[in-house]
């Protein structure tokens, strides 16, 4: 049984990209592994958040975890900020991270470009993410493609610490899905689908109503021509839609091509919309139940309690190795 950990930021509406690239795999992994999944609220505040919205979105992400199929009896679900060791180990690892390493992070470059002022937390974000992972001696980290660079830094920091202070951390491996690791925007297949895109037509939110989903997919940009062909180089827009179709169904891209051969984009897009609706409708119904039931409070309290036991032990060992006087 491997230790698995991952997290999602409560910084806006979760998208189909978050589901296909990450959450779907969380649900599958809970059957076989020792899993922890976090709502990473301390990461969300690396860009300005309105307090009431942050609270609402954090609860919403927790409810979506359960609605999507995470079972608190199998996987530990908790808020990052409920386990203070994240902030503590985050600081300790920040002091071991080089400026050059953080300057190379593409997520930082993307999120800071064109901004007049950028918070220091956005820069040191990857050290906190490393702490999230290393606190639990994690073996596997299921994430989308965009997190790969952060995982590389996490591995480097684990190795650096182990070398300097003796074997302490497990060096984790990223687990990046073969299909759907980078779901692209519906309005521009050169950009990843993202909840922070100001154009809501560019993403499908997990809580979008069926009609909104149908409308967004019917308006999704397609390439010239009319052939439903999986060719990411030459037909990036349609290939993105095929990848979404594939991730929402049991069909491979080749089977999808064959199904729509000679039919053009219309029938393909119509069926794709129904695939997405069929995937999300039960999640949305369960989401409403979870929010109404009040069960989240207990799930999160239990999750944090379990997490703290492991995290406190790791921080103690780390502080001892680094030379702190223990309390
Ligand atoms: P976040 O909140 O941006 O995204 C959560 C997860 O969803 C994946 N994802 C996507 N996958 C495919 N296509 C897309 N368009 C797409 N958009 C997002 C992300 O790759 C991610 O797996 N830094 C992390 C959160 C984090 C974390 C951690 C993850 C903090 N601590 C520890 C793992 C372990 C982030 O910003 O994810």
């Amino acid at each position: 049984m491997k230790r698995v950990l991952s997290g999602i930021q409560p910084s806006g509406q979760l998208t189909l990209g978050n589901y296909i690239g990450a959450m779907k795999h969380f649900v599958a992994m809970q059957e076989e592994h020792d899993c922890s999944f976090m709502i990473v609220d301390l990461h969300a505040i690396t860009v300005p958040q309105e307090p009431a919205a942050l609270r609402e979105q954090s609860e919403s992400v927790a409810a979506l975890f359960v609605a999507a199929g995470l079972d608190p009896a199998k996987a530990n679900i908790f808020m990052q900020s409920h386990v203070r060791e994240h902030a503590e180990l985050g600081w300790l690892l920040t002091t071991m991270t080089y400026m050059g390493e953080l300057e190379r992070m593409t997520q930082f470059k993307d999120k800071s470009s064109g901004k007049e002022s950028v918070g220091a937390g956005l820069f040191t974000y990857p050290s906190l993410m490393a702490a999230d992972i290393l606190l639990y001696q994690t073996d596997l980290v299921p994430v989308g493609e965009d997190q790969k660079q952060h995982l590389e830094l996490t591995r480097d920091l684990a190795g650096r610490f182990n070398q300097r202070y003796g074997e302490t951390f497990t060096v984790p491996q990223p687990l990046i899905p073969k299909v759907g690791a980078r779901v692209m925007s519906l309005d521009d297949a050169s950009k990843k689908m993202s909840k922070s895109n100001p154009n809501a037509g560019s993403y499908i939110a997990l809580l979008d109503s069926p009609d909104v989903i149908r409308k967004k997919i019917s308006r999704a940009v397609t390439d010239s021509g009319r052939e439903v062909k999986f060719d990411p180089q030459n037909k990036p827009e349609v290939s993105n839609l095929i990848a979404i179709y594939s991730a929402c169904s049991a069909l491979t891209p080749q089977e999808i091509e064959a199904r729509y051969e000679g039919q053009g984009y219309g029938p393909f897009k119509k069926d794709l919309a129904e695939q997405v609706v069929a995937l999300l409708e039960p999640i949305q119904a369960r989401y409403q139940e979870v929010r109404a039931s009040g069960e989240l409070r207990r799930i999160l309290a239990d999750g944090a309690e379990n997490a703290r036991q492991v995290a406190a032990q790791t921080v103690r060992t780390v502080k001892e190795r680094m030379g702190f006087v223990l309390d």
Side-chain angles (χ1 to χ4, degrees):
M1 200 138 112
K2 303 250 189 212
R3 288 219 177 88
V4 172
L5 175 133
S6 197
I8 297 189
Q9 294 194 65
S11 51
Q13 286 262 344
L14 292 200
T15 71
L16 194 57
N18 294 127
Y19 181 80
I20 292 174
M23 256 160 100
K24 180 180 155 184
H25 307 283
F26 299 175
V27 176
M29 291 180 94
Q30 70 180 340
E31 304 301 333
E32 288 176 42
H33 301 293
D34 174 2
C35 289
S36 293
F37 299 111
M38 286 181 300
I39 299 96
V40 289
D41 46 4
L42 297 174
H43 277 109
I45 59 163
T46 57
V47 296
Q49 300 288 343
E50 207 272 302
L54 177 65
R55 197 167 291 124
E56 163 57 28
Q57 283 156 15
S58 299
E59 288 180 352
S60 174
V61 174
L64 276 169
F65 275 2
V66 177
L70 286 181
D71 176 353
K74 294 179 183 159
N76 214 34
I77 300 170
F78 64 99
M79 294 278 176
Q80 183 187 31
S81 64
H82 290 181
V83 183
R84 66 192 61 197
E85 284 79 6
H86 288 262
E88 192 171 6
L89 185 62
W91 171 251
L92 300 175
L93 293 178
T94 299
T95 66
M96 295 185 60
T97 313
Y98 303 124
M99 298 284 286
E101 289 175 316
L102 297 173
E103 278 159 3
R104 279 197 293 278
M105 292 291 140
T106 55
Q107 181 169 301
F108 173 71
K109 289 192 220 166
D110 291 348
K111 288 200 172 176
S112 59
S113 91
K115 298 259 161 62
E116 226 166 76
S117 57
V118 173
L122 194 62
F123 188 62
T124 58
Y125 177 119
S127 308
L128 178 61
M129 178 162 161
D132 296 341
I133 296 166
L134 301 181
L135 269 178
Y136 303 97
Q137 308 298 352
T138 304
D139 298 297
L140 291 173
V141 186
V143 282
E145 175 77 33
D146 61 345
Q147 297 301 314
K148 199 170 161 198
Q149 201 184 21
H150 290 156
L151 259 296
E152 276 158 19
L153 177 67
T154 304
R155 290 168 55 85
D156 288 348
L157 283 171
R160 187 171 305 156
F161 191 100
N162 289 347
Q163 201 170 33
R164 212 175 274 178
Y165 299 110
E167 279 303 311
T168 306
F169 292 127
T170 303
V171 181
Q173 299 251 4
L175 201 80
I176 297 173
K178 286 200 183 68
V179 179
R182 199 170 168 80
V183 176
M184 308 312 276
S185 277
L186 299 180
D187 63 343
D188 177 358
S190 69
K191 289 199 233 123
K192 74 165 187 187
M193 183 180 282
S194 164
K195 54 198 169 212
S196 56
N197 190 321
N199 173 16
S202 71
Y203 60 81
I204 291 172
L206 296 184
L207 298 174
D208 275 345
S209 69
D211 280 345
V212 169
I213 294 170
R214 291 187 184 104
K215 202 170 285 168
K216 286 182 177 178
I217 291 181
S218 79
R219 290 185 186 158
V221 173
T222 41
D223 309 273
S224 58
R226 56 188 300 278
E227 213 185 339
V228 178
K229 194 161 168 34
F230 190 70
D231 178 357
Q233 279 290 321
N234 300 309
K235 299 195 86 167
E237 313 286 347
V238 171
S239 299
N240 182 43
L241 297 181
I242 294 177
I244 295 174
Y245 195 129
S246 175
C248 294
S249 67
L251 300 176
T252 64
Q254 290 66 34
E255 286 166 335
I256 295 166
E257 278 180 357
R259 179 174 288 193
Y260 296 98
E261 200 180 341
Q263 293 191 51
Y265 295 146
F268 163 71
K269 275 181 146 187
K270 229 174 165 168
D271 289 356
L272 169 60
E274 295 317 314
Q275 289 285 347
V276 175
V277 167
L279 172 76
L280 296 185
E281 262 190 330
I283 295 177
Q284 294 176 356
R286 178 90 180 98
Y287 172 84
Q288 298 303 342
E289 283 170 21
V290 174
R291 295 271 339 225
S293 73
E295 64 188 297
L296 276 182
R297 195 174 274 271
R298 184 191 51 77
I299 292 171
L300 294 173
D302 290 352
E305 179 61 35
N306 292 335
R308 259 181 233 123
Q309 289 183 14
V310 183
Q313 186 53 52
T314 305
V315 166
R316 208 174 163 77
T317 306
V318 166
K319 287 172 85 174
E320 203 238 311
R321 303 242 158 112
M322 289 180 83
F324 285 89
V325 175
L326 297 182
D327 55 2

